[in-house]
Amino acid sequence: MYQALYRKWRPKTFSDVVGQEHITSTLQKQVAEGRLSHAYLFTGTRGTGKTTCAKILAKAVNCEHPVNGNPCNACPSCLGIESGSFLDVVEMDAASNNGVDHVRALRDEAIYSPAQVKKRVYIVDEVHMLSTPAFNALLKILEEPPEHLMFILATTELHKVPATILSRCQRFSFRRILPRDIVARIEYVAKSEGIDLRPDGAELLARLSDGALRDALSLLDQCAANGGAIGTDAVLETLGLAGNVQTAQMMEFILHRDAKAALLLLNRLYAGGKDVSAVLGELATLSRDLLITTAAPEGGASLLSGGYDSSTMKNLLALGSSARFIQISTVLQTATAELQYSVNRRTDAELCLLRLCDETLSGDLAALSARIARLEEQMKAGAAFAASPAAKPELVPAPMSASKPAEDEVPWEEPQEEEGPPPYGEPIEPPAQEPAQEKESPAPAEPVQSAAGEDGDVFAQLMESYKNRLAPDKRAFIGMTKGRIQNDTLTVYCAQEIHKNMLDQQAVTDVLEEVTSRAVGREIKVRVVVGEPEGGEKSDPMEKLMRMGSKFDHFTIK
């Protein structure tokens, strides 16, 4: 009868246990020196060796010829415990025997001396499933056990075990097995079983096992059933996973904000029988790798999943920032957690991709941070072009040139009265005024009239002059403002406090005062406030800022 690989290759001695040397060495030394406890508690995730070490410890304490703390696996005691024929070593599942009556029966029979071995050993798996009365019944015998009795408790949820039980046990925490240790073990098993396992297939199986050697052996057993060489493609085909190639391609579409391509790829994977939860899970793993690489480029290599080569990671890192990867990870974590309760998993996966491709569809702070980071990158790119003397004559800003031609191509013509003031450096003549004795005294609060028309028109027509004199990082913010000249004061209205902070600086106000004063022919003072002019139209400042920042995407080099 065929036996599963994880059962066939279960370790027989402490030396065979993979990745838990900090535990096996201690247990082996305790057995060799006879310094054994009456109760042990093994904790850790699935497939890390808790039950295996419990069985090895049960054999080691009862072995007739132990070898440096390891069982010999040849004496009648070792063979009887291994086959399960000895009733003095009992393995109990607390998930199905969690009542107080089961523990009472165990307690009643535990007081009797073992018939065939030195110590009576009870291995209680998933001990956190015991009820509160059952824990109370177990507590008494743990507190004052007979000399011949030993308890080995195992659990994956330590926080559910009462503190009164924990304080009476020696606790050993099993950690996840490293991928390189899993690769070495499954390659050894595959070679012994005559399975053609390729190195790339072994690495993928180790990554999919998530630190559990039992899972890796089970996946190897499943892939070996198809026959032939087991490489990356064979593993992906057998397990029905999207694979790292398709995952990297999907992430590239997301970072390019190409929702159409991402949805088409998801549809192709779904039609091929791929699980949408597996697709989102692999995207979450890849986004985590990208985030860790961005945050710790030097020392974070050991934290990566190892499923993607350096060239793929480098290409994807060039397309995003830390804020973008945080937003992607946050959306994927939320969508993956809610997918198990979904009525239509495919629709939820598609909505998740749409939110990933367009941050405006997500109302959380991570999405807002990603949008701001994108805008900052666009502004930096525009500033770099503007600051480069060699690149400036070669820039061709196609969308921006539609409203105003380049200054080095179209010479300036003398403006007419209805065309507004000339650019900075050419003051205009104020309109003719009647003698002071003949005109009526005007109300001081009325807006100033000029050749340019209304006071708001003056500010709008001087906008290009302002931008030419301001630093690149201030140009976008001045373009979002409105201005009114009243008496000898130019009031600049900002939509938000952050805009006011950027513009209410001495270097900015000096430029605004100088340009405006020379344009209207008299001294003007500037003040910056938050608000809207009376009767002004309100707009979404974030959307306007994003539209202005997106103009930098269209710069090209001739």
Side-chain angles (χ1 to χ4, degrees):
M1 182 177 178
Y2 181 76
Q3 191 175 23
L5 291 180
Y6 79 89
R7 295 183 57 197
K8 182 178 180 180
W9 290 93
R10 171 171 281 175
K12 306 294 184 183
T13 64
F14 289 121
S15 304
D16 294 337
V17 179
V18 178
Q20 308 296 345
E21 290 79 7
H22 64 293
I23 295 175
T24 56
S25 60
T26 302
L27 294 176
Q28 188 174 348
K29 190 173 182 180
Q30 285 186 354
V31 174
E33 297 178 357
R35 301 171 59 88
L36 295 169
S37 175
H38 67 281
Y40 292 89
L41 178 62
F42 293 163
T43 69
T45 58
R46 81 212 183 283
T48 53
K50 299 185 298 296
T51 306
T52 297
C53 286
K55 290 184 175 181
I56 296 174
L57 181 60
K59 289 191 297 182
V61 299
N62 291 304
C63 181
E64 300 176 7
H65 309 289
V67 181
N68 295 327
N70 275 317
C72 66
N73 291 312
C75 65
S77 297
C78 291
L79 295 177
I81 295 174
E82 183 68 26
S83 62
S85 60
F86 280 11
L87 300 180
D88 294 322
V89 177
V90 180
E91 185 176 355
M92 186 179 75
D93 180 20
S96 55
N97 300 279
N98 56 1
V100 64
D101 294 335
H102 297 96
V103 178
R104 284 174 179 169
L106 180 152
R107 186 181 61 185
D108 292 341
E109 69 179 22
I111 61 176
Y112 297 105
S113 300
Q116 299 167 301
V117 293
K118 304 175 187 177
K119 281 184 174 290
R120 183 185 293 271
V121 182
Y122 286 94
I123 302 173
V124 185
D125 201 7
E126 301 299 334
V127 70
H128 65 274
M129 300 292 289
L130 291 178
S131 62
T132 301
F135 271 123
N136 293 333
L138 181 64
L139 180 62
K140 183 63 178 178
I141 197 170
L142 280 179
E143 187 175 9
E144 299 177 359
E147 187 179 354
H148 63 267
L149 189 61
M150 175 183 288
F151 280 94
I152 305 177
L153 312 179
T155 179
T156 56
E157 301 184 36
L158 180 63
H159 60 280
K160 294 184 179 180
V161 180
T164 52
I165 299 293
L166 296 176
S167 62
R168 289 167 171 82
C169 301
Q170 284 191 12
R171 188 191 316 177
F172 292 89
S173 299
F174 287 71
R175 55 195 178 198
R176 295 180 186 272
I177 305 175
L178 296 177
R180 63 173 181 269
D181 296 332
I182 296 179
V183 169
R185 182 63 176 177
I186 62 178
E187 285 181 343
Y188 173 77
V189 172
K191 183 178 181 181
S192 302
E193 292 289 328
I195 300 174
D196 187 6
L197 178 62
R198 303 292 173 80
D200 58 336
E203 292 178 0
L204 182 56
L205 289 175
R207 181 171 63 88
L208 295 174
S209 65
D210 194 23
L213 183 56
R214 183 176 63 230
D215 290 10
L217 290 174
S218 298
L219 294 175
L220 175 63
D221 205 356
Q222 181 178 350
C223 295
N226 286 336
I230 302 178
T232 300
D233 295 336
V235 173
L236 299 176
E237 185 66 25
T238 303
L239 302 182
L241 299 175
N244 51 6
V245 177
Q246 293 91 340
T247 304
Q249 187 178 9
M250 179 76 77
M251 182 62 71
E252 185 176 355
F253 292 151
I254 292 172
L255 294 175
H256 280 299
R257 297 175 174 82
D258 192 346
K260 177 181 177 181
L263 292 175
L264 289 176
L265 179 56
L266 178 64
N267 179 69
R268 188 161 63 251
L269 295 173
Y270 182 81
K274 311 301 182 183
D275 187 9
V276 292
S277 62
V279 176
L280 297 186
E282 292 179 2
L283 280 174
T285 301
L286 177 55
S287 65
R288 172 188 173 274
D289 287 353
L290 293 171
L291 182 58
I292 289 178
T293 305
T294 305
E298 299 298 332
S302 60
L303 304 176
L304 303 181
S305 63
Y308 303 91
D309 54 40
S310 57
S311 61
T312 301
M313 294 290 291
K314 184 177 180 181
N315 294 336
L316 294 176
L317 287 171
L319 300 176
S321 60
S322 297
R324 178 73 166 131
F325 295 140
I326 290 176
Q327 183 257 338
I328 292 175
S329 299
T330 303
V331 174
L332 286 172
Q333 288 293 104
T334 304
T336 305
E338 296 175 351
L339 206 59
Q340 56 180 328
Y341 308 108
S342 172
V343 177
N344 192 325
R345 295 159 61 89
R346 180 184 179 184
T347 301
D348 281 353
E350 291 172 341
L351 292 176
C352 176
L353 290 181
L354 291 175
R355 288 194 295 270
L356 291 176
C357 293
D358 188 357
E359 301 96 323
T360 60
L361 301 178
S362 299
D364 55 359
L365 293 177
L368 180 61
S369 299
R371 295 172 65 189
I372 294 176
R374 179 189 177 192
L375 177 63
E376 290 175 346
E377 292 296 329
Q378 292 170 345
M379 294 177 63
K380 288 179 181 179
F385 276 115
S388 175
K392 188 172 182 179
E394 302 294 325
L395 293 178
V396 184
M400 298 178 66
S401 62
S403 59
K404 177 182 178 296
E407 295 184 2
D408 56 352
E409 296 179 1
V410 181
W412 178 258
E413 297 181 0
E414 188 67 26
Q416 302 297 324
E417 288 188 0
E418 66 276 11
E419 293 179 351
Y424 167 72
E426 301 181 14
I428 62 175
E429 291 291 332
Q433 300 181 359
E434 298 180 0
Q437 65 274 13
E438 297 181 3
K439 70 173 184 178
E440 299 180 359
S441 58
E446 288 295 322
V448 174
Q449 301 291 330
S450 69
E454 297 296 331
D455 55 350
D457 296 336
V458 174
F459 181 81
Q461 294 172 14
L462 290 175
M463 184 62 67
E464 292 300 328
S465 299
Y466 296 147
K467 292 181 178 180
N468 291 338
R469 294 288 304 276
L470 291 176
D473 58 333
K474 304 297 189 300
R475 295 172 186 168
F477 291 98
I478 192 63
M480 299 174 58
T481 60
K482 298 177 181 179
R484 289 291 183 269
I485 301 176
Q486 199 167 14
N487 293 334
D488 292 331
T489 302
L490 168 62
T491 304
V492 179
Y493 295 91
C494 302
Q496 293 182 344
E497 187 68 29
I498 187 175
H499 303 163
K500 177 180 180 296
N501 295 336
M502 292 294 294
L503 297 178
D504 195 8
Q505 301 177 10
Q506 189 68 34
V508 178
T509 56
D510 288 347
V511 171
L512 298 181
E513 290 177 357
E514 182 179 357
V515 173
T516 310
S517 299
R518 299 192 63 175
V520 300
R522 66 183 185 278
E523 184 176 357
I524 298 294
K525 297 297 183 181
V526 174
R527 69 187 186 102
V528 184
V529 299
V530 178
E532 287 278 346
E534 184 178 355
E537 180 182 358
K538 296 185 178 296
S539 61
D540 183 2
M542 187 62 192
E543 291 297 329
K544 188 173 181 181
L545 188 62
M546 293 298 294
R547 287 196 302 270
M548 296 186 63
S550 64
K551 296 179 181 180
F552 293 111
D553 289 337
H554 301 282
F555 279 102
T556 58
I557 303 295
K558 286 184 178 180

